[in-house]
Amino acid sequence: MADAAFAPPPGLAVAEELPDVIPARKRLTGVWGFVRRRPSVAFGAALLGVMALLAIFAPLIGTVDPGALATSKRLRPPSAEAWFGTDMLGRDLYSRVVYGARVSLIVGFSVAVLASIAGLVIGLVSGMVRWVDGAVMRLIDGMMSIPPILLAVALMALTRGSLQNVVIAITLAEIPRVARLVRGVVLSLREQPYVDAAVAAGTPAPMIVIRHILPNTIAPMTVQATYICASAMIVEAILSFIGAGVPPITPSWGNIMAEGRALWQVKPTIVFFPAIFLSLTVLAVNLLGDGLRDALDPRMAKRL
Amino acid sequence: MSPPLLEVNDLKMHFPLGGGLLRSPTKFVYAVDGVSFRVERGETLSLVGESGCGKSTVGRAILRLLKPTGGQVVLSGKRIDDMSSGTLRPLRRRAQVVFQDPFSSLNPRIRVRDALAEPINNFGLAKNRADLAAKLDALMDKVGLPREALGRWPHEFSGGQRQRIGIARALAAEPDLIVCDEAVSALDVSVKAQIVNLLGDLQKELGLALLFISHDLAIVEHMTHRVAVMYLGKIAEIGTKRQIFARPRHPYTEALLSAVPKPDPLAKRDRIMLKGDVPSPISPPSGCRFHTRCPYVFDRCRTEEPRLREVERGHEAACHLNDRDPQDNPLLDGARA
């Protein structure tokens, strides 16, 4: 800004004001901009969206009753009539795989939500209350020494196979991971100067948790929840595959693969289609989780 | 004479080490081991010392962010060291804190407005919403930030601005005492000067007492009334700024002062280099805690712990040299002008 009253000393000249040489960077907005900036997240979200739509609208998208037997049409290869072929009881594989998405998604999301809530509560209490911490964490350590799949199998052995029991078993097996994560975050947050400042400012302990600690645990926990969702889908398929999951009459991807196992050398399609769907769904959830992690807190990304 | 605003008597803060769920601790860190001082209304007392000498722990114990393991903390006539947190809460208003790191001292998920309103609401200092808004505006004016900044998030501010917000939050409780725990150490020089001047102005305007915890003697000399020098959990020397800076009566103070950079490149410097490191506060040395590094050490120092003793009016030091004949006291040679 040239001041009118300002005269340059002799021998010196005032430079002209330079134009803005750096053009404003054009930033793509909207859906297309997001796809360009974060292709993997967009891909994951789209894939998961498709799976969810398949599961919700399963009866409307060219499927037949997934349990309907047709002994005359056993082990057909993929065709216009039966897109993925039929299994050894003549059931339409396409219908079974599409209905199987329901089981996987319900298990994945229920476990992610339930394990997050339970883990959050345990982690918060453990991180805030000293004397609870020792006891609870020893218990959690004990649970973590058992692989989640084994723990889920053991829990399923105690009850009968049903979707609800599968969800409960996998949730119990996944809680320790969330609880540990939340506890760790709480322990580091409570040492933050702003927490001390809030204590000095007379904020009661419950309000400190609600205002200063809980909101800062949400980001890492959401990221963890996506990984738990993916892991729960895999555990569910494994449970079904070894016959410890949902009842065999329910078409779940693990059940379909278990049924096709004996025939996989002659009819690989029976195992192939549910396996591909399971892989794609887990991939979609993981891509979404990575994107969430980067978006919510880049610094946290390195710690997880 | 009215009681001092803050009185600390023989404050002890021992942290257990090596204890577990079922085991009792075997050792203790003697972070603060018998510290006493007073802070009067409107006065600045600086607590200086090397890192790890326990000065921040003293600050945290006074704020009751830590429960002292021994001694008394008396804030305007009331003992707060053994109060339950419920009884203490209304009294917390009187002592507030400003921290070193301007980036972690504000919750990233809380807007400036809500951060400043928190103490006002906790202590019921605003009569209604209009009163609250007026108080918030006044706070921003006091610390020299635009009122529009109230609606912003902490990450939108620079370090110096955040420190101003931190000061505004401390002021929001209308305290009598602010503990400034290395409050300017993380800032660069020009911003540091601004914040120090702001604290000084606020002190004059509001009659605040400041407990200024710092390792930066140049800043301390600029803004303090009195100085307490800490070494390994104890006060080595305490006195007015003039006494401490001109006539130190403890070898540790003398060494600290010799390390302060002087703006004159031609000035003759008699730098006293201390040998070795600070001993561990887990097993402090016997006798005088400074004897392992003291340039004037003699036999008595190794066995007998020196008491804090008045050497002149308002000036106390814990050193056996002060018991000697003044002719034979190396601390009195060439007193600083």
Side-chain angles (χ1 to χ4, degrees):
Chain A
M1 254 181 280
D3 192 352
F6 174 76
L12 289 179
V14 175
E16 273 178 59
E17 248 177 78
L18 291 170
D20 287 334
V21 282
I22 303 166
R25 193 159 141 253
K26 222 163 119 186
R27 192 185 160 112
L28 288 167
T29 50
V31 176
W32 182 238
F34 182 74
V35 172
R36 283 291 296 277
R37 267 180 284 126
R38 300 226 136 126
S40 65
V41 180
F43 177 71
L47 202 55
L48 196 63
V50 169
M51 288 296 172
L53 289 177
L54 280 183
I56 293 166
F57 297 109
L60 306 174
I61 43 176
T63 57
V64 296
D65 178 0
L69 307 180
T71 40
S72 58
K73 294 189 278 189
R74 288 183 303 169
L75 298 174
R76 293 278 167 84
S79 66
E81 192 197 348
W83 292 349
F84 294 176
T86 61
D87 69 3
M88 56 285 184
L89 297 173
R91 293 174 295 195
D92 178 43
L93 210 51
Y94 168 68
S95 307
R96 288 179 72 73
V97 168
V98 168
Y99 275 94
R102 290 185 163 182
V103 175
S104 274
L105 292 176
I106 288 174
V107 170
F109 287 112
S110 314
V111 169
V113 170
L114 294 176
S116 297
I117 294 172
L120 180 67
V121 172
I122 295 173
L124 273 180
V125 172
S126 193
M128 291 304 294
V129 189
R130 263 261 154 83
W131 61 271
V132 176
D133 189 42
V136 169
M137 277 303 127
R138 290 303 82 75
L139 188 71
I140 295 280
D141 285 346
M143 284 175 77
M144 284 181 95
S145 66
I146 309 169
I149 292 169
L150 265 185
L151 192 57
V153 170
L155 288 169
M156 286 310 293
L158 299 174
T159 61
R160 87 203 144 70
S162 74
L163 190 59
Q164 194 191 333
N165 286 343
V166 167
V167 169
I168 294 172
I170 303 177
T171 301
L172 286 176
E174 295 284 357
I175 284 175
R177 276 165 48 178
V178 190
R180 268 229 168 258
L181 173 84
V182 173
R183 171 181 175 269
V185 174
V186 170
L187 285 183
S188 73
L189 288 175
R190 57 180 286 179
E191 299 299 323
Q192 291 292 318
Y194 60 77
V195 172
D196 279 341
V199 173
T203 308
M207 278 307 291
I208 291 203
V209 174
I210 293 170
R211 273 179 71 99
H212 297 286
I213 294 194
L214 192 59
N216 288 303
T217 60
I218 298 300
M221 210 190 58
T222 313
V223 175
Q224 182 75 1
T226 60
Y227 296 129
I228 284 175
C229 176
S231 143
M233 288 176 181
I234 292 176
V235 173
E236 182 276 323
I238 292 172
L239 287 179
S240 294
F241 189 79
I242 62 175
V246 292
I249 50 162
T250 316
S252 86
W253 292 337
N255 279 341
I256 303 170
M257 284 190 273
E259 289 157 6
R261 185 172 57 107
L263 294 167
W264 80 270
Q265 279 172 312
V266 279
K267 291 287 168 193
T269 48
I270 304 179
V271 175
F272 177 75
F273 284 110
I276 280 292
F277 271 70
L278 177 64
S279 306
L280 285 178
T281 313
V282 170
L283 176 71
V285 174
N286 278 336
L287 286 177
L288 209 57
D290 286 347
L292 266 179
R293 185 189 61 192
D294 297 348
L296 285 176
D297 190 346
R299 276 168 302 149
M300 201 62 92
K302 289 179 198 105
R303 259 189 271 158
L304 277 178
Chain B
M1 208 175 109
S2 64
L5 175 62
L6 173 75
E7 194 175 349
V8 177
N9 291 324
D10 198 29
L11 181 72
K12 287 188 174 124
M13 198 68 234
H14 300 171
F15 296 103
L17 261 190
L21 188 59
L22 300 170
R23 282 171 299 144
S24 56
T26 49
K27 287 179 184 168
F28 289 90
V29 178
Y30 299 95
V32 176
D33 202 16
V35 162
S36 308
F37 58 83
R38 295 163 159 229
V39 181
E40 304 288 342
R41 268 169 213 284
E43 176 192 52
T44 303
L45 173 69
S46 291
L47 214 49
V48 302
E50 280 165 286
S51 47
C53 71
K55 52 194 193 300
S56 289
T57 309
V58 170
R60 291 170 59 86
I62 288 167
L63 294 160
R64 270 298 303 271
L65 298 174
L66 293 170
K67 195 168 163 56
T69 45
Q72 299 180 338
V73 179
V74 186
L75 188 62
S76 33
K78 290 198 187 76
R79 257 191 88 170
I80 61 164
D81 53 280
D82 53 357
M83 267 188 190
S84 72
S85 54
T87 351
L88 178 66
R89 192 163 300 126
L91 286 173
R92 285 193 182 278
R93 184 183 71 73
R94 295 174 165 278
Q96 292 293 307
V97 60
V98 177
F99 287 106
Q100 172 172 19
D101 181 2
F103 290 90
S104 58
S105 60
L106 296 172
N107 184 340
R109 287 177 191 274
I110 290 188
R111 286 177 197 271
V112 175
R113 179 189 309 283
D114 299 320
L116 298 189
E118 190 168 336
I120 299 180
N121 290 331
N122 284 338
F123 297 122
L125 297 173
K127 288 185 278 293
N128 49 45
R129 302 192 72 164
D131 191 23
L132 175 65
K135 277 191 190 310
L136 292 175
D137 285 344
L139 282 172
M140 295 304 264
D141 296 346
K142 267 187 199 135
V143 298
L145 286 172
R147 294 179 178 186
E148 299 79 62
L150 280 171
R152 304 251 209 105
W153 297 97
H155 69 256
E156 298 178 57
F157 297 93
S158 69
Q161 288 171 322
R162 281 162 166 252
Q163 208 60 327
R164 286 173 191 268
I165 298 170
I167 293 170
R169 177 180 55 191
L171 292 176
E174 298 170 16
D176 302 319
L177 170 73
I178 296 186
V179 176
C180 302
D181 189 352
E182 302 273 12
V184 296
S185 307
L187 306 172
D188 58 50
V189 179
S190 61
V191 181
K192 195 180 277 197
Q194 287 173 17
I195 299 292
V196 165
N197 291 337
L198 173 66
L199 284 170
D201 293 346
L202 290 170
Q203 176 169 51
K204 281 191 206 96
E205 189 186 327
L206 306 170
L208 283 172
L210 298 177
L211 181 65
F212 194 80
I213 298 168
S214 180
H215 62 262
D216 185 343
L217 286 166
I219 290 278
V220 164
E221 186 171 16
H222 176 71
M223 68 173 298
T224 198
H225 298 118
R226 289 197 305 137
V227 182
V229 181
M230 276 188 77
Y231 184 77
L232 218 60
K234 282 191 180 289
I235 288 184
E237 184 170 11
I238 183 167
T240 64
K241 173 170 78 178
R242 186 176 294 257
Q243 289 165 343
I244 296 287
F245 280 88
R247 294 185 299 280
R249 296 295 288 271
H250 193 286
Y252 181 61
T253 316
E254 201 181 39
L256 277 186
L257 290 174
S258 79
V260 177
K262 295 197 181 69
D264 179 2
L266 301 174
K268 189 166 70 76
R269 296 188 54 180
D270 301 322
R271 178 89 194 264
I272 302 169
M273 300 299 290
L274 291 180
K275 297 174 302 250
D277 279 325
V278 188
S280 160
I282 297 167
S283 49
S286 62
C288 174
R289 293 187 172 208
F290 189 56
H291 85 247
T292 53
R293 301 170 78 194
C294 183
Y296 312 122
V297 63
F298 59 109
D299 286 344
R300 189 178 166 197
C301 306
R302 298 197 180 88
T303 50
E304 189 188 332
E305 184 166 354
R307 308 233 141 259
L308 205 53
R309 214 169 56 81
E310 191 159 73
V311 289
E312 58 187 312
R313 199 178 142 72
H315 185 180
E316 293 173 59
C319 181
H320 292 315
L321 289 174
N322 294 317
D323 292 347
R324 287 193 185 173
D325 185 348
Q327 297 299 315
D328 199 18
N329 184 348
L331 292 171
L332 295 177
D333 293 353
R336 289 148 180 273

